[in-house]
């Protein structure tokens, strides 16, 4: 009895980190410490009623423990395990309730206990949370693990790890959009580092921005990334930012728009406008860091950018630049015809050598026919690039060999600064005369001097030779990935041709390394080639690949990546096919015009997928088709939404695992408005005749999707099952999962065609309470009434989402009905019911009707108990309705 009094009982709750690897099957032990320096024995956290796994990712587990020690008030705990490397546990927090005093103690863990993570500790000592914040209100820190990994873990030692971090910052980085339609590559897969300078000259250690809180692939074009970082330096007001990358990876050139840093201690915001490439040419790489001054205005970066855009609205409306070009009067061989009908292009360079895209001078504001002899044309152009003045320009045309154009001058006015830049030319752009080329590079403009003043123009051109004509060339780095099957490689030369957005084509170039005489395209290899083009191309739009090999001597390519060495723009083109006279469509020449938003090195290895698919019997291969109606799958949050399908047999037992519908074979982005998507899947040891019901759902939060139908097709037998859905699936209306047992064995399009003259409806009825427990206890039929027409009475027979209708409290039954009587709208419902048993009773909350031909939804409240009278048909008339979904 005395021993019983010595024991103390506690309730322990633990929170495991949210990522998959956070969970553990390892036994976890707890030791308690009180304010009198007493400690308990080691106690294993285990639920007596649960033999399985406790510490699953994201879970909160509860344990009831007893200590043999008569402990006083708790002050600390020790948490430990003895697992091997990478078999540990990531704990968010541990909450302990004293069952005698009812006090609750929160211990913030927020770290790994693992020999392979961080400091390698598997036992730590924690003091109680002195702020009295409940554990449940602590943030999920596993998304913020970069707080603990700003220094490479292999460089951490015990002293480093125990040292207190004195400064904590939130870093937000916006990667810009550039180029035509904002599609030029601006992201990077290189490692990015910062150092923070304060006003007293203190500088933080190098901090790697490792784990983005928002994006799976950080520093992607047009995306925002957020990081939590910390420094051992006690930094005060932020003054400067040091920024660089290590230049590793294929996508090493990076164009950030801004970096915003918030001091978590003072909430002071510091904005750094970047707006330039970080690469070997412009700096911002290893051993060549860039340092930026803080913006004087302490507002958010996006507010500063918004104001900048707003202040330049007037400029944008009239264009950033006014371009004036004077065509001369001297033609080819002096015979007149100085003008041209060829397309003319212009590129602008600023004082920092940043350049614009190539602009075609299409529409003269003064003349219908531009570039006529002795004519001055005016053009308005915009640029998405932030250019600081003008230092030089490229001018060229795409005429034929004998198309000459005599240009007198080009004058450009920057509407943002009202500064004019005059470039005298007085030369013919022609292959046969003048410069003997159709392009010209111009530097050293006349600032705020009129091009029309000939004394300025000709004296400058003849005496100081400010005009410079250069031969254009462009360097690119090419990476190719060969499929990993032994037969994928080839010893046959591969030829490449680049095509830009203006349809300009390079010459065909053989991909060959100068220092390598042997085989480049070995199975599974990534090969690198350096090429130089004599042509000056704009943004790359497509590539042409060709190989001249005999049958079965071709090449299987996974992808080709092209890096413009001048601006570090990267283009990734998936190949994922054979170039071989004996494979697939027998083509040995293809044009790739669908660049990938995903970096090439992250693309799936398609040859492995194909080999795996080919090794599985066709008897298990199915095609699943989904039709999206008026509403696409909408993602209001920043995460990807996944769609799943469950299959059930006639005994309502699930067949196999949940099927994720991903990688549509006919659309890059699935589940878009009016699209029918096809998915090819393998379902082992299942006959299509066994499938009797499906569940369709997605994991979106406040995301919706309007699905029209789901069709399953066995690719060998050609058997088909069509499930008509026509439902809005979202979390808000509690219809994120939809179950269907009603199907037809014909293609879904044929079903719709066969019912062209028939209107189909779904009927949903909400039951509040019921005492019905047998089938055929209640007959219900309805008549739908419009303004002038009405349907026949339609029996509600088999529910498509439950085994039996009206037998569960607080449930919804769904029916499908059809009628030949067409209604433009539903204004009234006649609701007929008849009990077939004694003392039956049921209460309905509402009935919802959806017209599947036009998607119009009508909700009629019922909110009444239907009186019981056996074998007597009764009815109610419903006239109040709304066209919003009934609330569940």
């Amino acid at each position: 009895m005395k021993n019983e009094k010595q024991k103390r009982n506690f309730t322990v709750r633990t929170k495991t980190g949210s990522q998959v690897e956070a969970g553990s099957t390892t036994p976890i032990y707890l030791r308690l410490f009180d304010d009198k320096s007493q400690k308990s024995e080691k106690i294993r956290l285990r639920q007596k009623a649960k033999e399985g796994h406790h510490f699953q990712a994201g879970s909160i587990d509860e344990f009831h423990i007893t200590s043999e020690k008569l402990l006083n008030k708790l002050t600390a705990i020790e948490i430990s395990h003895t697992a091997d490397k990478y078999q540990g546990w990531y704990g968010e927090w541990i909450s302990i309730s004293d069952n005698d005093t009812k006090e609750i103690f929160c211990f913030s863990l927020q770290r790994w206990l693992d020999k392979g993570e961080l400091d390698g500790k598997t036992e730590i000592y924690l003091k109680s949370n002195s702020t009295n914040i409940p554990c449940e209100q602590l943030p999920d820190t596993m998304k913020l693990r970069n707080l603990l990994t700003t220094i490479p873990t292999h460089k951490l030692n015990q002293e480093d790890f125990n040292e207190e971090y004195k400064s904590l910052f939130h870093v937000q980085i916006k990667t810009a959009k550039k180029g035509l339609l904002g599609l030029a590559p601006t992201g990077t897969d290189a490692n990015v580092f910062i150092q923070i300078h304060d006003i007293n000259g203190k500088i933080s250690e190098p901090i790697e921005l490792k784990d983005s809180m928002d994006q799976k692939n950080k520093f992607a074009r047009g995306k925002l990334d957020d990081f939590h970082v910390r420094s051992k330096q006690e930094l005060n007001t932020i003054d400067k930012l040091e920024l660089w990358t290590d230049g590793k990876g294929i996508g090493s050139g990076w164009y950030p728009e801004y970096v915003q840093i918030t001091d978590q201690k003072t909430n002071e915001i510091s904005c750094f406008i970047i707006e330039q490439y970080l690469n070997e040419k412009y700096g911002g790489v290893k051993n060549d860091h860039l340092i930026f001054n803080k913006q004087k205005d302490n507002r958010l970066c996006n507010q500063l950018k918004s104001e900048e855009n707003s202040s330049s609205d007037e400029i944008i409306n009239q264009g950033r630049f006014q371009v004036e070009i004077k065509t001369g009067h001297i033609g080819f061989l002096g015979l007149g015809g100085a003008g041209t009908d060829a397309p003319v292009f212009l590129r602008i360079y600023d004082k920092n050598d940043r350049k614009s895209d190539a602009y075609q001078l299409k529409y003269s504001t003064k003349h219908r026919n531009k570039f006529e002899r002795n004519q001055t044309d005016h053009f308005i152009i915009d640029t998405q690039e932030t250019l600081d003045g003008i230092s030089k320009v490229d001018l060229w045309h795409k005429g034929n060999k004998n198309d000459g154009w005599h240009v007198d001058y080009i004058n450009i006015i920057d509407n943002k600064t009202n500064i004019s830049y005059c470039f005298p030319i007085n030369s013919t752009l022609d292959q046969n005369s003048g410069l003997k080329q159709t392009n010209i590079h111009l530097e050293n403009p006349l600032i705020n001097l009129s091009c029309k003043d000939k004394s300025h123009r000709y004296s400058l051109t003849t005496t100081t030779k400010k005009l410079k004509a250069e031969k254009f060339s462009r360097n690119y780095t090419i990476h190719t990935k060969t499929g990993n099957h032994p037969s994928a490689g080839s010893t046959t030369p591969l030829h490449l041709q680049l095509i830009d957005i203006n349809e300009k084509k390079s010459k065909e170039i053989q991909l060959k390394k100068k220092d390598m005489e042997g085989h480049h395209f070995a199975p599974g290899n990534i090969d690198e080639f350096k090429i130089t083009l004599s042509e000056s191309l704009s943004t790359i739009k497509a590539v042409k690949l060709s190989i001249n090999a005999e049958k079965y001597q071709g090449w299987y390519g996974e992808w080709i990546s092209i890096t413009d060495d001048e601006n570090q723009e990267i283009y990734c083109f998936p190949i994922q096919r054979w170039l071989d006279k004996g494979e697939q469509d027998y083509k040995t020449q293809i044009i790739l015009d669908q660049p990938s938003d995903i970096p090439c090195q992250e693309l799936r290895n398609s040859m492995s997928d194909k080999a795996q698919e080919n090794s599985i019997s066709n008897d298990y291969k199915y095609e699943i088709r989904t039709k999206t109606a008026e509403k696409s799958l909408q993602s209001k949050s920043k995460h990807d939404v996944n769609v799943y399908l469950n299959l059930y047999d006639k005994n309502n037992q699930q067949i196999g695992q949940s099927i994720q519908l991903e990688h549509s074979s006919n659309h890059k982005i699935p589940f878009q408005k009016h699209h029918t998507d096809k998915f090819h899947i393998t379902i082992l040891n299942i006959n299509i005749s066994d499938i009797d019901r499906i569940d369709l759902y997605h994991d979106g939060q406040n995301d919706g999707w309007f699905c029209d139908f789901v069709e399953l097709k066995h690719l060998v037998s050609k058997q088909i099952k069509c499930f008509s859905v026509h439902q809005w699936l979202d979390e808000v209306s509690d219809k994120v999962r939809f179950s269907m047992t009603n199907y037809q064995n014909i293609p879904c399009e044929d079903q719709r065609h066969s019912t062209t003259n028939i209107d189909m409806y779904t009927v949903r009825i909400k039951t509040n309470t019921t005492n019905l427990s047998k089938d055929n206890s209640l007959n219900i039929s309805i008549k739908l009434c419009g303004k002038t027409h009405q349907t026949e009475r339609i029996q509600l027979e088999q529910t498509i989402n439950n085994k039996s209708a009206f037998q569960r409290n607080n449930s919804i039954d769904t029916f499908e009905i059809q009628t030949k009587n067409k209604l433009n709208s539903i204004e009234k419902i006649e609701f007929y019911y008849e009990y077939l048993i004694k003392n039956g009773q049921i209460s309905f909350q509402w009935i919802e009707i959806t017209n599947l031909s036009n998607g119009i939804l009508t909700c009629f409240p019922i909110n009444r108990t239907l009186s019981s009278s056996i074998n007597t048909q009764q009815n109610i008339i419903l006239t109040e309705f709304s066209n919003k979904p009934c609330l569940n």
Side-chain angles (χ1 to χ4, degrees):
M1 198 68 185
K2 184 177 180 180
N3 290 337
E4 286 295 323
K5 291 182 180 178
Q6 296 291 325
K7 294 182 179 181
R8 292 290 310 279
N9 297 316
F10 300 89
T11 300
V12 179
R13 300 173 74 239
T14 64
K15 171 70 181 291
T16 300
S18 59
Q19 296 190 14
V20 175
E21 67 271 20
S24 178
T25 57
T26 298
I28 305 292
Y29 294 90
L30 178 70
R31 190 193 300 273
L32 309 177
F33 297 82
D34 69 3
D35 56 0
K36 293 185 177 180
S37 300
Q38 299 182 98
K39 63 181 179 181
S40 73
E41 66 280 19
K42 276 193 175 183
I43 305 168
R44 180 177 175 181
L45 298 181
R46 178 166 52 184
Q47 298 168 359
K48 293 181 180 179
K50 184 177 180 180
E51 297 298 326
H53 181 195
H54 305 308
F55 303 100
Q56 297 187 42
S59 67
I60 296 177
D61 295 293
E62 184 173 295
F63 309 89
H64 298 280
I65 66 172
T66 300
S67 172
E68 300 293 335
K69 293 284 187 179
L70 186 59
L71 299 173
N72 201 45
K73 183 174 180 178
L74 296 185
T75 58
I77 63 171
E78 179 187 273
I79 189 82
S80 64
H81 67 75
T82 59
D84 289 333
K85 200 173 182 180
Y86 302 122
Q87 296 182 20
W89 176 58
Y90 188 100
E92 291 285 357
W93 47 257
I94 300 173
S95 173
I96 302 178
S97 300
D98 188 325
N99 293 351
D100 295 326
T101 66
K102 306 304 180 185
E103 287 184 277
I104 300 176
F105 305 89
C106 177
F107 299 88
S108 177
L109 182 54
Q110 300 180 344
R111 59 159 289 154
W112 279 103
L113 293 177
D114 195 302
K115 292 180 180 178
E117 302 282 354
L118 296 174
D119 54 357
K121 287 185 177 181
T122 59
E123 177 180 293
I124 61 167
Y125 178 86
L126 299 171
K127 293 182 179 180
S128 176
N129 185 352
S130 60
T131 61
N132 294 323
I133 298 175
C135 278
E136 291 79 359
Q137 294 182 15
L138 295 176
D140 184 352
T141 60
M142 199 160 201
K143 295 179 181 177
L144 317 178
R145 279 181 297 160
N146 52 324
L147 287 177
L148 304 175
T149 55
T150 55
I151 302 174
T153 56
H154 68 274
K155 294 184 180 179
L156 280 172
N157 55 42
Q158 187 68 31
E159 183 180 348
D160 288 333
F161 192 81
N162 290 333
E163 184 175 346
E164 182 181 1
Y165 284 85
K166 298 176 181 178
S167 301
L168 181 65
F169 303 97
H170 177 95
V171 178
Q172 183 181 81
I173 295 185
K174 172 72 177 295
T175 299
K177 285 187 175 182
K178 283 174 60 63
L180 182 71
L181 303 177
L183 296 179
T186 55
T188 186
D189 55 4
N191 299 312
V192 175
F193 300 85
I194 63 170
Q195 280 186 284
I196 299 171
H197 301 231
D198 75 359
I199 57 173
N200 299 318
K202 287 186 178 179
I203 305 174
S204 74
E205 64 274 29
I207 301 171
E208 181 180 355
L209 301 180
K210 196 165 186 180
D211 295 320
S212 171
M213 298 164 57
D214 309 295
Q215 312 293 339
K216 182 179 180 181
N217 299 316
K218 58 184 183 290
F219 310 125
R221 180 184 63 224
K223 298 295 185 181
L224 272 174
D225 291 282
D226 289 89
F227 306 86
H228 280 284
V229 302
R230 61 185 184 176
S231 171
K232 294 175 183 176
Q233 291 286 346
E234 187 167 355
L235 302 174
N236 292 312
T237 304
I238 299 174
D239 183 47
K240 300 179 187 296
L241 172 71
E242 198 166 341
L243 180 67
W244 73 96
T245 78
D246 63 4
K248 293 181 179 179
I250 296 176
S252 56
W254 179 42
Y255 195 103
E257 186 174 311
Y258 62 76
V259 177
Q260 177 177 288
I261 303 177
T262 304
D263 189 326
Q264 301 286 54
K265 194 161 47 177
T266 64
N267 287 327
E268 182 184 11
I269 297 172
S270 302
C271 176
F272 300 87
I273 303 299
I274 312 298
E275 291 186 333
Q276 72 168 74
Y277 273 107
L278 274 68
N279 55 29
E280 294 288 347
K281 182 174 182 179
Y282 299 119
V285 293
K286 193 174 181 180
N287 301 323
D288 186 16
H289 302 179
L290 293 177
I291 298 179
F292 298 90
N293 292 318
K294 182 178 72 172
Q295 296 292 306
K296 294 180 180 180
D297 194 329
N298 285 330
R299 285 178 296 164
L300 300 175
C301 285
N302 60 358
Q303 292 176 340
L304 292 173
K305 294 296 295 179
S306 176
E307 182 179 281
E308 179 182 312
N309 293 337
S310 175
S311 65
S312 61
D313 276 349
E314 182 178 349
I315 296 173
I316 290 174
N317 288 337
Q318 64 178 358
R320 170 69 191 275
F321 297 105
Q322 300 179 50
V323 178
E324 178 185 78
I325 294 184
K326 171 69 181 300
T327 300
H329 62 278
I330 302 173
F332 178 47
L333 300 179
L335 299 177
T340 184
D341 293 325
V344 174
F345 297 86
L346 174 71
R347 178 181 282 116
I348 298 173
Y349 298 77
D350 75 355
K351 298 174 183 176
N352 300 313
D353 214 27
R354 288 183 294 214
K355 66 179 181 179
S356 72
D357 283 331
Y359 296 101
Q360 182 176 354
L361 302 179
K362 264 188 175 183
Y363 305 108
S364 172
T365 62
K366 285 197 171 185
H367 303 285
R368 184 173 182 180
N369 297 319
K370 56 187 179 294
F371 308 126
E372 294 292 325
R373 182 173 181 268
N374 208 29
Q375 177 174 291
T376 303
D377 290 285
H378 290 258
F379 304 88
I380 303 296
I381 64 173
D382 277 331
T383 175
Q384 293 185 7
E385 294 79 6
T386 305
L387 300 179
D388 183 12
I390 301 174
S391 65
K392 50 192 174 184
V393 297
D394 294 335
L395 183 69
W396 70 96
H397 71 81
K398 292 187 175 181
N400 295 325
K401 185 175 182 180
N402 295 320
D403 286 340
W405 177 39
H406 189 91
V407 190
D408 204 353
Y409 64 78
I410 177 170
N411 188 60
I412 304 175
I413 299 175
D414 187 338
N415 288 329
K416 190 173 183 179
T417 61
N418 287 323
I419 297 175
S420 69
Y421 303 84
C422 171
F423 294 89
I425 302 175
N426 192 27
S427 294
T428 300
L429 303 186
D430 188 281
Q431 294 283 9
N432 300 305
S433 65
L435 299 173
K436 296 192 181 300
Q437 61 186 52
T438 59
N439 50 60
I440 190 171
H441 180 80
L442 305 167
E443 296 185 355
N444 302 310
L446 302 173
I447 308 297
N448 289 332
L449 292 176
S450 173
C451 278
K452 297 177 182 178
D453 188 337
K454 295 185 179 181
S455 63
H456 287 309
R457 288 193 279 133
Y458 294 113
S459 62
L460 187 70
T461 304
T462 56
T463 61
T464 65
K465 298 184 179 180
K466 296 287 185 179
L467 176 63
K468 185 171 71 174
E470 296 181 344
K471 183 178 180 180
F472 279 76
S473 64
R474 201 78 171 237
N475 297 317
Y476 295 88
T477 301
I478 312 295
H479 291 86
T480 62
K481 171 70 180 291
T482 301
N484 60 7
H485 191 272
S487 63
S490 178
T491 57
T492 304
L494 182 67
H495 290 83
L496 169 71
Q497 183 181 54
L498 305 183
I499 306 168
D500 72 6
I501 56 174
N502 302 311
E503 301 297 335
K504 187 174 182 179
K505 299 178 181 179
S506 73
K507 295 179 180 178
E508 290 196 3
I509 297 176
Q510 180 180 338
L511 295 181
K512 185 175 181 179
K513 300 178 186 177
K514 294 181 180 179
D515 59 346
M516 183 175 177
E517 296 299 325
H519 182 196
H520 305 306
F521 306 104
N525 272 12
I526 296 178
D527 292 294
E528 180 179 289
F529 307 90
K530 300 285 188 179
I531 65 171
T532 299
L533 302 181
S534 58
E535 305 87 356
S536 178
L537 299 181
S538 182
T539 302
I540 303 300
K541 181 183 76 170
V543 299
K544 175 184 171 184
L545 290 176
S546 59
I547 191 169
N548 186 19
E550 296 299 323
K551 197 173 182 181
Y552 302 122
Q553 295 183 20
W555 177 63
Y556 187 97
E558 290 286 357
W559 47 258
I560 182 168
S561 172
I562 299 150
T563 302
D564 187 328
D565 293 345
E566 183 174 346
N567 57 27
Q568 293 300 309
E569 294 182 3
I570 302 173
Y571 310 90
C572 173
F573 292 90
I575 306 173
Q576 299 182 340
R577 61 158 291 147
W578 282 100
L579 274 71
D580 195 302
K581 293 179 180 179
E583 302 281 356
Q584 289 177 309
D585 53 4
Y586 316 116
K587 288 184 177 180
T588 57
Q589 176 179 297
I590 56 170
I591 293 179
L592 306 172
D593 58 3
Q594 297 294 325
S596 171
D597 292 330
I598 303 172
C600 273
Q601 62 271 29
E602 294 182 17
L603 293 177
R604 296 174 62 183
N605 192 334
S606 65
M607 202 163 204
S608 297
D609 296 340
K610 288 178 171 65
Q612 185 176 5
E613 290 173 6
N614 292 334
S615 66
I616 299 174
S617 170
N618 290 331
D619 293 339
Y620 305 129
K621 293 183 179 180
Y622 288 78
E623 179 183 84
I624 296 178
R625 297 196 308 139
T626 64
K627 173 68 179 293
T628 300
E630 294 294 328
K631 301 288 185 180
S632 302
L633 179 58
Q634 301 170 352
S635 176
K636 298 177 184 176
S637 55
K638 293 184 179 179
H639 71 283
D640 294 330
V641 182
N642 302 304
V643 176
Y644 299 91
L645 188 69
N646 290 347
L647 307 178
Y648 298 85
D649 62 18
K650 295 178 181 178
N651 297 319
N652 207 29
Q653 297 296 313
Q654 184 170 344
I655 304 172
Q657 302 296 319
S658 297
I659 300 168
Q660 182 176 351
L661 300 181
E662 57 179 345
H663 307 304
S664 170
S665 64
N666 56 335
H667 293 110
K668 185 175 182 180
I669 302 176
F671 314 119
Q672 298 303 297
K673 181 178 178 180
H674 296 155
H675 280 187
T676 299
D677 290 289
K678 297 179 181 180
F679 304 91
H680 292 97
I681 64 168
T682 299
I683 312 176
L684 297 177
N685 304 319
I686 293 177
N687 194 314
I688 191 170
S689 60
D690 296 332
I691 301 172
D692 191 61
R693 177 169 76 87
I694 65 172
D695 279 354
L696 183 68
Y697 61 99
H698 63 78
D699 61 5
Q701 299 174 359
N702 299 324
D703 306 317
W705 176 39
F706 200 104
C707 180
D708 199 4
F709 64 71
V710 176
E711 179 188 280
L712 280 69
K713 180 180 180 180
H714 187 242
L715 293 179
V716 174
S717 66
K718 308 301 182 184
Q719 287 181 274
I720 290 176
K721 288 193 174 181
C722 173
F723 293 84
S724 179
V725 183
H726 211 86
Q727 288 287 334
W728 176 255
L729 304 179
D730 69 5
E731 193 176 58
V732 176
S733 60
D734 198 26
K735 288 190 289 186
V736 73
R737 180 187 288 259
F738 190 65
S739 181
M740 292 152 282
T741 58
N742 192 14
Y743 60 83
Q744 291 184 274
N745 297 110
I746 60 174
C748 291
E749 285 86 352
D750 293 351
Q751 177 193 13
R752 296 299 167 89
H753 181 74
S754 64
T755 58
T756 303
N757 298 320
I758 295 176
D759 277 352
M760 300 186 66
Y761 297 84
T762 57
V763 179
R764 300 172 72 236
I765 300 180
K766 173 69 176 291
T767 299
N768 282 333
T769 59
T770 178
N771 67 354
L772 306 181
S773 59
K774 298 181 179 179
D775 292 342
N776 303 320
S777 301
L778 178 67
N779 281 339
I780 292 181
S781 59
I782 59 174
K783 182 185 291 186
L784 308 180
C785 305
K787 291 183 179 180
T788 57
H789 298 84
Q790 61 185 23
T791 68
E792 69 278 17
R793 277 177 55 178
I794 304 169
Q795 184 80 22
L796 300 184
E797 295 177 333
Q798 176 62 46
T799 175
I800 66 173
N801 63 327
N802 293 313
K803 188 174 182 180
S804 301
F806 314 128
Q807 293 185 14
R808 292 189 299 165
N809 294 335
N810 195 33
S811 65
I812 298 173
D813 291 288
T814 304
F815 305 85
E816 283 191 347
I817 63 173
Q818 58 186 37
T819 177
K820 292 184 178 181
N821 299 317
K822 293 189 176 295
L823 303 177
N824 292 327
S825 62
I826 302 174
E827 309 284 333
K828 180 177 70 173
I829 294 179
E830 295 180 10
F831 191 95
Y832 298 87
Y833 63 97
E834 178 183 1
Y835 286 100
L836 304 179
I837 60 172
K838 291 182 179 181
N839 302 318
Q841 185 171 313
I842 192 167
S843 170
F844 290 130
Q845 183 175 340
W846 45 256
I847 179 171
E848 180 187 274
I849 313 292
T850 302
N851 187 333
L852 298 187
S853 63
N854 56 25
I856 295 176
L857 180 149
T858 314
C859 175
F860 290 84
I862 302 178
N863 295 321
R864 68 182 74 186
T865 300
L866 304 187
S867 59
S868 175
S869 179
I870 187 171
N871 295 326
T872 301
Q873 191 173 88
Q874 304 174 77
N875 76 300
I876 55 177
I877 306 297
L878 305 174
T879 57
E880 294 184 8
F881 66 90
S882 75
N883 293 114
K884 295 182 179 180
C886 295
L887 297 177
N888 296 337

